[in-house]
Amino acid sequence: MGHVCGLLNRCGFLNICRLDSSEGKCLLSSAPINAVRCFKTAILRKTRWRSQSSGPKPRIGPLNTEFEGVKVENGGPVQFSKLFKPLCFTFVISSGSFVCATIWQYENVRARAILLLKKPGGWDHGNLFVVKKHGTWRNHVNTWWNSLTEGQRLFFPICFVNCLVFLAWRVPRLQGIMVQYFCSNPASRAVCWPMVLSTFSHYSAIHLLANMFVLHSFLSGAVASLGKEQFLGLYMSAGVISSMSSYFHKSLIKKPGFSLGASGAIMCLLGYVCTEYPETKLTIIFLPLFTFPAAAAIKVIMAVDAAGVLLGWKFFDHAAHLGGAACGITWSYWGNAYIWQKREPLLHWWHKLRGGSVK
């Protein structure tokens, strides 16, 4: 009887059967339908069209996570057709990051020009006036800050945001939100914004410290080569591109899962620096006497990640690492020359919109 009720439901009559929870019996209410025709139609659909669903899909239970018992809705395997929206989001965020970086650079140059016009001779070794603060400790902090490179100055706000998100993971009431919006998962309801937010998300303290150490090690060289504006645009673009690479791989193997961390964007930084300065000598923190060229380092790292993708290793998101590294290498060969150096039309448009000449 229960089987017939299920077949009737598949024929479109969803409200004619209900389960009596007390006796476990199926109660049928009268309805003006041809039960025999419905039964035959359901059998034909079941035998001839197995690939097509003729009724409501079965619900998949909640997915357990490693985040202190937090459960989220499991969307099941991800189809490639569902990646169109994340792909468009990747293009919008990447393009918007470089547009914002261009405008930011324009505003910085404009501010320096205005200051030089007001106070000629205020340029001292590439830095603007050093404003003295009231109090001894503030002067010490100000002197220390001005002694840092542009890359070191940029490291602190990036690290601060990552630390804030790490502390948010420690709040039990926020963990449901953190899993939904700060973990990239192609099977989740929210698939776009987590591609960006997960770049600043770390659940483990070791994960956070390792990523921030590598970021600090390579940031100064990258910013010296790119400038802080171009670097930040590349960093944000690499974060969302690496998440898109992870989405594509999870859809290919039909196994959705959670990913978080800045390693995809940091791999872009590593790929760019190792491509731009291939002869630079690198070392391992635990083996300071063992050095190797940067060109060899990026090849070995990408080979390990490629093996992880092919062999199905689960410890890291190797697809995201490969996407980030490819982004950095591509930018080193073509991005700077064919995208960043071709931004003059955007600068002219913003200059006219901004109000023309410097006053």
Side-chain angles (χ1 to χ4, degrees):
M1 188 66 176
H3 179 66
V4 176
C5 292
L7 294 175
L8 292 177
N9 285 340
R10 290 183 181 182
C11 293
F13 305 93
L14 300 178
N15 297 321
I16 63 173
C17 178
R18 65 180 177 89
L19 182 65
D20 189 347
S21 60
S22 60
E23 299 180 3
K25 298 179 180 179
C26 184
L27 306 178
L28 289 176
S29 62
S30 59
I33 62 172
N34 191 330
V36 177
R37 182 182 299 175
C38 182
F39 181 83
K40 290 182 179 180
T41 303
I43 293 297
L44 288 175
R45 287 180 178 177
K46 186 175 181 180
T47 55
R48 296 180 60 185
W49 306 101
R50 293 181 182 271
S51 61
Q52 297 182 0
S53 176
S54 57
K57 297 181 179 180
R59 294 183 179 180
I60 302 177
L63 182 67
N64 292 322
T65 69
E66 59 183 12
F67 309 110
E68 297 185 6
V70 176
K71 295 183 179 181
V72 296
E73 182 178 353
N74 185 6
V78 180
Q79 304 298 327
F80 281 105
S81 59
K82 296 182 179 180
L83 297 182
F84 180 73
K85 185 178 178 181
L87 184 62
C88 293
F89 183 80
T90 301
F91 176 78
V92 170
I93 294 298
S94 300
S95 303
S97 296
F98 285 107
V99 169
C100 293
T102 300
I103 295 174
W104 182 29
Q105 186 184 57
Y106 173 90
E107 293 297 330
N108 287 336
V109 173
R110 181 187 177 93
R112 292 176 180 177
I114 292 175
L115 187 57
L116 287 175
L117 288 175
K118 291 181 178 180
K119 298 180 180 180
W123 187 266
D124 182 19
H125 302 291
N127 295 320
L128 295 178
F129 291 99
V130 177
V131 181
K132 291 186 177 181
K133 303 292 183 179
H134 296 288
T136 304
W137 69 272
R138 295 185 64 187
N139 282 325
H140 286 307
V141 171
N142 193 43
T143 302
W144 167 77
W145 180 258
N146 289 313
S147 67
L148 299 178
T149 64
E150 269 195 336
Q152 291 171 337
R153 294 178 193 175
L154 192 59
F155 168 77
F156 286 100
I158 296 177
C159 182
F160 178 73
V161 173
N162 281 271
C163 291
L164 280 183
V165 177
F166 171 76
L167 293 177
W169 277 107
R170 314 270 76 82
V171 181
R173 291 185 178 181
L174 297 179
Q175 287 201 347
I177 298 175
M178 300 301 294
V179 170
Q180 184 175 3
Y181 290 102
F182 287 84
C183 291
S184 62
N185 176 21
S188 176
R189 288 185 177 181
V191 294
C192 290
W193 283 112
M195 299 172 71
V196 178
L197 298 177
S198 62
T199 306
F200 302 92
S201 179
H202 299 82
Y203 184 77
S204 167
I206 297 177
H207 189 198
L208 173 64
L209 291 175
N211 279 342
M212 292 302 101
F213 175 79
V214 177
L215 177 64
H216 183 269
S217 301
F218 289 90
L219 188 58
S220 294
V223 173
S225 175
L226 296 169
K228 61 181 180 181
E229 299 89 358
Q230 184 183 175
F231 165 79
L232 199 58
L234 180 61
Y235 187 85
M236 296 299 297
S237 300
V240 69
I241 289 173
S242 63
S243 296
M244 188 65 218
S245 302
S246 176
Y247 280 10
F248 181 82
H249 176 250
K250 291 171 182 175
S251 301
L252 185 64
I253 64 176
K254 299 186 182 303
K255 290 183 179 180
F258 300 98
S259 297
L260 71 166
S263 53
I266 294 175
M267 280 296 296
C268 172
L269 171 63
L270 190 64
Y272 175 83
V273 172
C274 291
T275 305
E276 283 289 307
Y277 310 104
E279 300 301 325
T280 301
K281 298 298 181 180
L282 303 179
T283 185
I284 302 176
I285 185 173
F286 301 109
L287 301 172
L289 299 180
F290 178 67
T291 61
F292 44 88
I298 190 62
K299 291 177 183 177
V300 171
I301 293 173
M302 293 187 69
V304 171
D305 283 323
V309 170
L310 295 176
L311 299 178
W313 297 345
K314 299 298 182 182
F315 190 69
F316 297 113
D317 192 339
H318 298 282
H321 288 184
L322 286 175
C327 179
I329 295 172
T330 301
W331 191 261
S332 174
Y333 281 111
W334 299 285
N336 189 25
Y338 295 101
I339 297 179
W340 187 254
Q341 300 299 332
K342 305 294 183 181
R343 68 190 188 283
E344 287 83 1
L346 178 59
L347 288 171
H348 289 303
W349 171 79
W350 181 254
H351 180 70
K352 292 181 181 180
L353 185 66
R354 185 65 170 79
S357 61
V358 177
K359 297 181 181 179

